[in-house]
């Protein structure tokens, strides 16, 4: 039967729910071989799926494990997901910010892969912070303080975890049906009524073109609305890194600074955090407009309430809250080297993928799912697109474990920047918004 299902999809024909479940649940239960599942995944990549097939695949994976029942937890229940990028640390700001605004946020976070960072890795840079929680612990903490940030429970959507690991080693990751069903099966199983999506586009994302990002956003929204969720999606820029840091501990420190009243804030990163929070609150009918939501979010940060909520999350998950006042307690690299500008001009490009690969070279990313990562290394970005520079101005400071890692990263950084003799304009932060 399984070979017939593979052949049917190979020929571009539509599969039934039962046929999809036979492959997905069969692989999870050990009844379908890895080779057969890999063949089926490749057929999906090459032939695609109809909207109904994607919805069926999402539902099949969602039902492969437990569901979070949030009925005992005060609402509104809001979930947020980013498709990943270089320097994307928005969850570290948005989760405590939304919780401080009165929402309940149960954020199941992943680990970084390749040049994209994972929220779970970043949280674990905080001494003692525990990201592994069972469902009962998640619900108890969410009811008590309004938020938790944990890795995906083994009981939630186990089919997705099994398929993702196989996709990673079979070159079947870049497929909108597979990406969309993976994302939404987890979001739907997590139980929130409101889901906000940050779909990245550009050279430093999995959706390099606006058209691809738009297709993914529409697919995700269609799945969520079909399951009765209030959905919103923003297509945001990932042609240059987001914020002023790339690397695990460095990004945590930047997030803390962003949450600190009067703290130093990268304007693009801060603006995106406020906007995502505002859209989340509007979708959940907590504010009447995005403008009202942005003003509320800004006031919550400047009052100190969002930072205090992050402290509560850290304490609840056994982390050291002293990092709030003293980010130097985070892991630090022993070697620092600053790359300087060699000519005068305006920065026209800062290639996010090249910067991401440079951080991977330093050890801040992983090339396979369970590989260790170096929490202390990364890049501190001083100049971004649109900035004017002259010879000797700092471009990027490298944080490395040893001197031998520095030279190839210098070369990468120099190739990531392009300069113009005339003033340049950064790319738009937000390209499109889809909202209920």
């Amino acid at each position: 039967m399984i070979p017939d299902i593979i052949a049917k999809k190979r020929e571009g024909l539509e599969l039934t729910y039962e046929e999809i479940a036979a492959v997905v649940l069969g692989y999870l239960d050990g009844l379908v071989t890895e080779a057969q599942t890999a063949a089926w995944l490749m057929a999906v990549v090459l032939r695609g799926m109809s909207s109904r097939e994607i919805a069926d695949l999402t539902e099949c994976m969602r039902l492969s494990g437990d569901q979070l029942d949030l009925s005992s937890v005060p609402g509104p229940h809001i979930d947020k997901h980013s498709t990943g990028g270089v320097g994307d640390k928005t969850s570290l700001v948005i989760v405590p910010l939304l919780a401080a605004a009165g929402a309940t946020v149960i954020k199941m976070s992943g680990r970084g892969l390749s040049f994209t960072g994972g929220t779970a890795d970043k949280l674990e840079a905080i001494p003692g912070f525990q990201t592994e929680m069972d469902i009962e612990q998640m619900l108890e903490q969410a009811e008590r303080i309004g938020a938790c940030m944990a890795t995906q429970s083994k009981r939630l959507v186990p089919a997705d975890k099994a398929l993702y690991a196989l996709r990673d080693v079979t070159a079947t990751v870049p497929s909108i049906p597979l990406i969309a069903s993976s994302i939404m099966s987890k979001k739907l199983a997590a139980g929130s009524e409101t889901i906000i999506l940050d779909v990245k586009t550009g050279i430093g994302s999995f959706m390099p073109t606006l058209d691809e990002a738009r297709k993914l956003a529409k697919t995700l929204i269609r799945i969520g609305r079909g399951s009765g969720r209030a959905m919103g999606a923003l297509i945001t820029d990932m042609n240059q890194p987001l914020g002023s840091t790339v690397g695990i501990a460095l990004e945590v420190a930047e997030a803390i600074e962003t949450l600190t009243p009067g703290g130093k804030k990268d304007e693009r990163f801060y603006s995106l955090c406020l906007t995502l929070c505002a859209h989340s609150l509007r979708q959940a009918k907590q504010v009447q407009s995005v403008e009202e939501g942005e003003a509320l979010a800004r006031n919550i940060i400047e009052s100190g309430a969002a930072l205090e909520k992050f402290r509560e999350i850290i304490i609840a998950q056994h982390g050291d809250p002293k990092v709030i006042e003293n980010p130097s307690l985070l892991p630090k690299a022993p070697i620092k080297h600053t790359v300087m500008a060699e000519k005068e001009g305006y920065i026209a490009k800062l290639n996010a993928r090249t910067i991401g690969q440079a951080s991977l070279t330093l050890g801040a990313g992983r090339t396979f799912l369970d590989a260790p990562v170096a929490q202390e290394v990364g890049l501190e970005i001083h100049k971004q697109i649109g900035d004017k520079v002259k010879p000797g101005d700092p471009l990027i400071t490298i944080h490395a474990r040893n001197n031998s890692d520095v030279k190839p990263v210098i070369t990468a950084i120099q190739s990531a920047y392009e300069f113009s003799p005339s003033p340049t304009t950064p790319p738009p932060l937000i390209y499109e918004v889809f909202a209920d």
Side-chain angles (χ1 to χ4, degrees):
M1 178 184 178
I2 297 299
D4 293 335
I5 295 172
I6 297 169
K8 185 176 179 180
K9 177 46 63 180
R10 183 194 66 208
E11 298 304 316
L13 301 176
E14 195 173 37
L15 301 179
T16 66
Y17 179 90
E18 291 73 21
E19 289 169 330
I20 292 170
V23 176
V24 173
L25 301 182
Y27 179 57
L28 185 63
D29 293 337
L31 303 175
V32 178
T33 69
E34 187 174 279
Q36 289 173 320
T37 310
W40 179 78
L41 288 169
M42 187 59 73
V44 170
V45 171
L46 297 176
R47 290 296 193 171
M49 280 184 151
S50 67
S51 296
R52 198 267 305 155
E53 284 180 296
I54 298 172
D56 284 351
L57 175 58
T58 304
E59 185 71 357
C60 176
M61 292 200 297
R62 180 180 76 85
L63 295 176
S64 68
D66 293 343
Q67 318 293 305
L68 275 179
D69 180 1
L70 304 184
S71 59
S72 65
V73 181
H77 309 123
I78 299 176
D79 202 351
K80 170 263 178 191
H81 179 81
S82 168
T83 57
V86 181
D88 183 3
K89 59 203 75 75
T90 50
S91 292
L92 299 177
V93 173
I94 290 170
V95 171
L97 181 52
L98 285 172
T104 295
V105 189
I106 296 179
K107 181 75 176 74
M108 288 191 292
S109 303
R111 301 196 180 278
L113 191 60
S114 185
F115 58 84
T116 63
T119 300
D121 295 321
K122 295 166 191 174
L123 290 168
E124 288 172 356
I126 299 171
F129 197 102
Q130 295 181 11
T131 59
E132 292 190 9
M133 304 174 70
D134 60 31
I135 291 173
E136 291 73 24
Q137 289 173 317
M138 291 181 191
L139 292 172
E140 185 279 329
Q141 182 173 315
E143 185 172 3
R144 179 163 47 87
I145 66 172
C148 73
M149 303 174 76
T151 51
Q152 183 180 341
S153 166
K154 294 178 181 178
R155 290 159 50 190
L156 285 168
V157 202
D160 173 66
K161 187 171 184 179
L163 283 182
Y164 189 88
L166 185 57
R167 287 168 57 206
D168 182 46
V169 297
T170 56
T172 53
V173 171
S175 160
I176 286 179
L178 297 177
I179 292 171
S181 58
S182 174
I183 292 170
M184 291 307 298
S185 61
K186 294 191 286 285
K187 297 293 114 182
L188 296 177
S192 292
E193 299 94 355
T194 300
I195 301 171
I196 293 294
L197 305 161
D198 180 5
V199 180
K200 301 294 186 188
T201 187
I203 197 167
S205 73
F206 291 119
M207 297 287 120
T209 70
L210 183 56
D211 186 53
E212 290 173 303
R214 188 181 291 118
K215 287 178 182 176
L216 177 58
K218 290 180 177 179
T219 301
L220 294 166
I221 288 174
R222 185 167 57 245
I223 295 170
R225 287 176 178 168
S227 295
R229 302 311 202 264
M231 299 294 299
L234 282 69
I235 299 179
T236 67
D237 181 66
M238 190 39 70
N239 284 298
Q240 67 174 333
L242 182 62
S244 61
T245 57
V246 178
I248 295 171
L250 291 173
E251 292 187 40
V252 176
E254 183 179 0
I256 291 171
E257 189 73 14
T258 302
L259 287 167
T260 300
K264 182 180 178 182
K265 296 170 175 55
D266 177 272
E267 283 305 315
R268 282 172 70 87
F269 174 59
Y270 184 48
S271 176
L272 182 57
C273 290
L274 294 177
T275 302
L276 286 169
C277 183
H279 278 279
S280 300
L281 293 171
R282 194 197 69 79
Q283 288 291 135
K285 302 188 186 309
Q286 300 304 293
V287 296
Q288 297 298 312
S289 67
V290 172
E291 292 75 18
E292 181 186 350
E294 287 182 350
L296 176 61
R298 188 177 289 105
N299 289 338
I300 289 172
I301 287 179
E302 290 308 313
S303 74
L307 186 65
E308 183 57 33
K309 183 60 67 174
F310 193 31
R311 187 197 309 273
E312 288 182 44
I313 296 169
I314 292 171
I315 293 171
Q317 295 184 229
H318 309 288
D320 185 354
K322 296 188 186 72
V323 299
I324 295 291
E325 287 81 24
N326 188 9
S328 66
L329 293 173
L330 295 165
K332 291 186 292 185
I335 306 296
K336 290 186 182 181
H337 177 87
T338 299
V339 180
M340 306 293 188
E342 296 179 346
K343 52 185 164 182
E344 186 169 348
Y346 296 86
I347 297 174
K349 289 185 179 180
L350 176 53
N351 189 305
R353 183 175 290 265
T354 301
I355 294 299
Q357 293 290 353
S359 71
L360 184 63
T361 298
L362 290 168
R366 50 171 62 87
T367 53
F368 58 92
L369 200 57
D370 295 320
V373 292
Q375 298 174 332
E376 68 273 28
V377 304
L379 303 168
E380 188 178 355
I381 301 168
H382 305 295
K383 299 294 182 181
Q384 302 177 351
I385 297 175
D387 289 343
K388 184 178 181 179
V389 296
K390 61 183 184 298
D393 283 350
L395 295 176
I396 288 180
T397 296
I398 301 166
H399 294 245
R401 289 174 291 184
N402 51 67
N403 286 311
S404 62
D405 288 340
V406 172
K407 187 174 181 180
V409 173
I410 293 174
T411 302
I413 290 169
Q414 290 170 336
S415 70
Y417 279 98
E418 291 185 20
F419 299 87
S420 168
S422 305
T424 56
T425 303
L429 177 61
I430 299 170
Y431 292 97
E432 290 187 31
V433 174
F434 302 89
D436 286 342

